[in-house]
Amino acid sequence: MTIDTRIQPVILCGGSGSRLWPLSRSAMPKPFISLGGQMGHTLFQHTALRVQGAGMLPPVVVCAEAHRFYVLNQLEEIGITPAAIILEPQARNTTAAIALATEWAKTNSVNVPLAILPADHLMGSPAEFQESLKAATAHASDSIVLFGINPSFANTEYGYIQLGENIGGGAHKVIKFLEKPNRASAEMLLVSGNHVWNSGMFISAPELLAREIFEYAQDVASKVSVAWDKRRSETLLHTEVIRPDETFGEVPSIQFDNAVMEKTQHAVVLAYSGRWSDIGGFAALAEALPQDDSGNSISAPEDSHVLVPDTIGSLIHSSVPNKIVAVHGLSDAVVIDTADALLVTTKSRSAGVKSIFQSLQAARAPQAEFHNRVHRPWGWYETIVKGPGYLVKRIGVIPGGRLSLQYHHHRAEHWTVVTGTATVTKGEEILTLNPDESVYLPLGIHHRLENKSSSDMVEIIEVQTGKILVEEDIVRVEDIYHRT
């Protein structure tokens, strides 16, 4: 009998956008943002690319409903078609997300090990990590095999795992899990030689995962099962997208470590010595980016300039094109400049940015949720200026992109094409507009913007006029992306 040695990757896309604000926002958390430098891809794309190749099945992605198009578009950019995307109606933490993955595996008769992978880790060689995954499968049928990172310093931001009996192949039984330690405790754990950082990555048989979740988090397992049984599926951009029932919101929110790993008798840890970081804050980001001779990590668009005279060991990131950012005479600084927010702190105090983010959320500041450039499945838009009774936007539509057929209750719009050739629906008319041509769309008329080009962007300037100028004033009549 042939033994199936394949691995089913499951990528968990969570996060609130708090630890790397203003780079990340709640509508675009850490896995999906471009971190600049030589990273090239987003962390989510790096995660998906890390599990490509022989023996690796197409990934299953679990993400929030609001992030589905980031997942679809970013996978398309790197040429990966997932096995499925499972949308969480509400964020209910990792136990619920993993339970969804086991339900998918059961429904699709997937019996190979599930590799559970957070979407926001930066690692070294994909081949090296795949070798570790394959080595872990020797224990995956009857164990939940965690990947522990050999600690390189006394880190107070990670949880630790105490290693127990060596069971062969580099794997150890788990004695206990330790929460994030203080500095003195972290120093002791480092010198002990028998503790590793808890990476949050693991691999196990789907049946075992499902059984352990039911054993130690029965309420989660039962309510996820109900939501899964009432799921809806559709094909979106050539990918199966699965929506569990709204009753998923009743599932208790609890981390998998707390719900299962700290209680199970099947926990095993395999040490991983390759490069790894969860980019948990700006200090970690600075370490991951290339550094100049003064230890500065600098990231900026090609047409911008960052000047750092007499500056040492600092992180400077600019997201704004055609802008000069100058940092003079500072050490250990963090300067994050975006189109609508500026953060200045130090590496040693940068963890406090989470409280700033929470304050902005409490104040309902848009900068906590969105970037100035808001991404949509058809492209993006950014606000140029807003005043009493008017709002001006720049809108970019990707090749093949098509906005919904829509109308508004409270505003009229005037569109001027600045780049590309736009196809515009205005009531019963279909118009073709080239650069420097425009169209007026009175209040209430059905309209749509489309880019029929296969290679060129379409960009327009939109001027809205009316008493109420909000995104909620969109009534969709027809939408190829199935938005309501």
Side-chain angles (χ1 to χ4, degrees):
M1 182 179 70
T2 302
I3 298 175
D4 194 342
T5 59
R6 296 175 300 170
I7 294 170
Q8 175 62 66
V10 177
I11 302 175
L12 307 183
C13 299
S16 62
S18 62
R19 292 193 289 176
L20 289 181
W21 183 90
L23 278 182
S24 59
R25 313 285 171 101
S26 59
M28 183 174 267
K30 179 175 54 170
F32 304 115
I33 61 175
S34 173
L35 296 175
Q38 297 177 353
M39 289 187 181
H41 302 298
T42 65
L43 293 174
F44 168 66
Q45 289 174 319
H46 277 295
T47 303
L49 289 167
R50 194 176 301 130
V51 286
Q52 296 299 297
M56 298 291 161
L57 293 169
V60 172
V61 181
V62 183
C63 70
E65 172 91 21
H67 301 150
R68 65 196 186 281
F69 289 109
Y70 296 148
V71 169
L72 286 164
N73 292 336
Q74 290 191 10
L75 288 178
E76 185 177 35
E77 285 176 7
I78 56 177
I80 293 176
T81 300
I85 296 175
I86 304 173
L87 304 180
E88 296 178 290
Q90 296 182 37
R92 307 312 296 157
N93 223 308
T94 49
T95 307
I98 294 164
L100 284 174
T102 65
E103 291 285 356
W104 176 87
K106 180 180 177 181
T107 299
N108 292 275
S109 301
V110 173
N111 299 312
V112 299
L114 304 184
I116 308 297
L117 308 172
D120 57 356
H121 292 181
L122 183 66
M123 301 181 71
S125 162
E128 183 179 29
F129 179 63
Q130 288 188 25
E131 284 302 313
S132 292
L133 277 177
K134 291 171 183 176
T137 60
H139 303 282
S141 62
D142 57 4
S143 300
I144 303 175
V145 187
L146 292 140
F147 291 94
I149 309 300
N150 288 317
S152 55
F153 64 98
N155 196 309
T156 60
E157 296 299 315
Y158 298 149
Y160 286 70
I161 303 171
Q162 184 176 358
L163 304 181
E165 175 191 354
N166 188 330
I167 59 173
H172 291 257
K173 290 286 189 180
V174 172
I175 293 180
K176 65 178 177 180
F177 293 83
L178 296 94
E179 295 295 329
K180 297 175 183 179
N182 58 32
R183 174 62 58 184
S185 296
E187 295 283 359
M188 293 176 60
L189 295 175
L190 178 64
V191 299
S192 72
N194 68 333
H195 291 81
V196 292
W197 293 335
N198 184 354
S199 72
M201 302 181 293
F202 59 88
I203 185 169
S204 186
E207 308 86 24
L208 176 60
L209 286 173
R211 187 169 68 244
E212 295 299 280
I213 293 173
F214 187 82
E215 173 72 20
Y216 298 109
Q218 185 172 350
D219 202 21
V220 173
S222 299
K223 289 180 177 177
V224 167
S225 180
V226 169
W228 181 260
D229 288 343
K230 297 179 181 179
R231 69 192 179 277
R232 294 177 292 116
S233 297
E234 63 178 327
T235 300
L236 194 57
L237 301 182
H238 313 293
T239 298
E240 182 185 22
V241 177
I242 303 168
R243 289 179 170 84
D245 187 69
E246 292 298 325
T247 55
F248 185 80
E250 301 171 9
V251 177
S253 177
I254 183 170
Q255 291 186 358
F256 188 74
D257 278 1
N258 300 133
V260 175
M261 294 310 302
E262 294 175 359
K263 302 170 184 175
T264 182
Q265 300 301 306
H266 296 274
V268 166
V269 62
L270 185 69
Y272 178 74
S273 57
R275 182 191 181 195
W276 175 86
S277 173
D278 72 345
I279 312 293
F282 287 114
L285 175 58
E287 187 177 318
L289 290 170
Q291 298 177 358
D292 64 16
D293 292 340
S294 297
N296 297 310
S297 305
I298 300 171
S299 174
E302 289 184 0
D303 51 2
S304 296
H305 299 281
V306 175
L307 308 176
V308 288
D310 298 324
T311 296
I312 300 172
S314 296
L315 169 66
I316 299 93
H317 179 100
S318 172
S319 303
V320 185
N322 302 307
K323 185 175 184 180
I324 295 175
V325 176
V327 180
H328 179 258
L330 298 184
S331 176
D332 189 50
V334 173
V335 178
I336 308 296
D337 184 39
T338 71
D340 59 351
L342 171 67
L343 172 72
V344 180
T345 183
T346 62
K347 289 182 184 177
S348 58
R349 299 293 299 275
S350 60
V353 70
K354 185 173 183 178
S355 64
I356 296 174
F357 175 82
Q358 291 169 340
S359 296
L360 292 169
Q361 279 192 314
R364 298 183 180 273
Q367 290 87 347
E369 183 173 4
F370 297 108
H371 284 277
N372 188 57
R373 175 171 287 193
V374 178
H375 292 268
R376 291 290 184 255
W378 43 260
W380 49 264
Y381 71 84
E382 55 191 26
T383 299
I384 299 174
V385 63
K386 183 176 183 179
Y390 71 91
L391 176 66
V392 182
K393 288 182 177 179
R394 179 183 171 207
I395 297 175
V397 186
I398 60 176
R402 191 183 195 197
L403 280 69
S404 60
L405 183 65
Q406 59 186 254
Y407 65 93
H408 312 292
H409 291 297
H410 303 289
R411 70 177 186 247
E413 296 176 346
H414 189 275
W415 293 350
T416 300
V417 178
V418 293
T419 300
T421 299
T423 300
V424 176
T425 300
K426 178 184 178 181
E428 299 299 320
E429 298 180 81
I430 304 294
L431 309 174
T432 300
L433 300 182
N434 294 305
D436 203 29
E437 296 181 334
S438 61
V439 60
Y440 174 69
L441 303 166
L443 184 151
I445 196 168
H446 288 198
H447 59 279
R448 189 203 320 261
L449 175 63
E450 184 176 357
N451 180 2
K452 291 188 175 181
S453 169
S454 60
S455 58
D456 299 324
M457 286 287 294
V458 164
E459 291 189 23
I460 70 166
I461 300 298
E462 175 184 271
V463 180
Q464 302 178 7
T465 54
K467 293 183 178 181
I468 301 176
L469 303 174
V470 294
E471 283 301 299
E472 290 73 18
D473 183 25
I474 297 176
V475 181
R476 292 189 175 94
V477 178
E478 177 186 299
D479 184 57
I480 63 171
Y481 307 109
H482 306 282
R483 296 170 297 166
T484 56

